[in-house]
Amino acid sequence: MRISEASTKSGLSADTIRYYEKSGLVPAVERGPDGLRRFSPENVEWLTLLYWLRKTGMPMQEMQRFAALYRQGDTTIPERREVLLNHEKRLHRRRADLDRCEEVLAYKIAAYEKIEGGLS
């Protein structure tokens, strides 16, 4: 499939796909006789993973390390798993922080509603 289709399926813009490719995050994408990229389902699966890793806040440097490990083959699966587990821990901490932020906002909103009710 072409880059526009890969973009639609993965959630990444064509520009981001090109950037990720130049950054070494995307395994080799074949090109057709016309020189245009031809993305396989595996390429799109990888791009989708990159989309979600970035969306969940994984730093680019860590994504590059993950991609480099992937290129080295299956012997790096334990290391790749560790990268993902560490990222998962970071997400759990972030979720707890966001939950606390939501509690603080709810408290403040309730306080304002109480004040506004007394002004009427």
Side-chain angles (χ1 to χ4, degrees), residues 2-91:
R2 295 181 185 238
I3 197 167
S4 60
E5 294 170 273
S7 171
T8 299
K9 290 184 181 222
S10 68
L12 296 169
S13 71
D15 288 338
T16 300
I17 292 172
R18 288 185 197 98
Y19 174 75
Y20 282 0
E21 196 174 7
K22 288 177 188 170
S23 299
L25 291 173
V26 181
V29 175
E30 292 188 28
R31 291 186 181 260
D34 55 4
L36 297 176
R37 292 169 184 85
R38 296 288 189 256
F39 292 87
S40 68
E42 292 80 18
N43 292 137
V44 173
E45 184 179 331
W46 182 257
L47 291 170
T48 303
L49 174 62
L50 293 177
Y51 170 85
W52 286 109
L53 292 177
R54 191 69 183 136
K55 187 88 166 166
T56 57
M58 182 179 277
M60 283 295 290
Q61 187 175 6
E62 196 169 331
M63 289 172 64
Q64 288 170 330
R65 179 172 177 261
F66 186 77
L69 289 168
Y70 176 80
R71 285 191 300 275
Q72 292 174 30
D74 287 351
T75 59
T76 65
I77 286 175
E79 291 170 84
R80 285 185 267 159
R81 184 174 169 276
E82 189 65 29
V83 168
L84 295 178
L85 285 170
N86 288 335
H87 185 59
E88 181 182 46
K89 289 175 189 172
R90 210 172 26 247
L91 283 177

Side-chain angles (χ1 to χ4, degrees), residues 99-115:
D99 288 345
R100 179 66 182 130
C101 290
E102 188 175 29
E103 290 170 10
V104 170
L105 287 174
Y107 173 81
K108 196 62 175 173
I109 290 167
Y112 284 144
E113 288 172 348
K114 185 176 180 182
I115 293 169

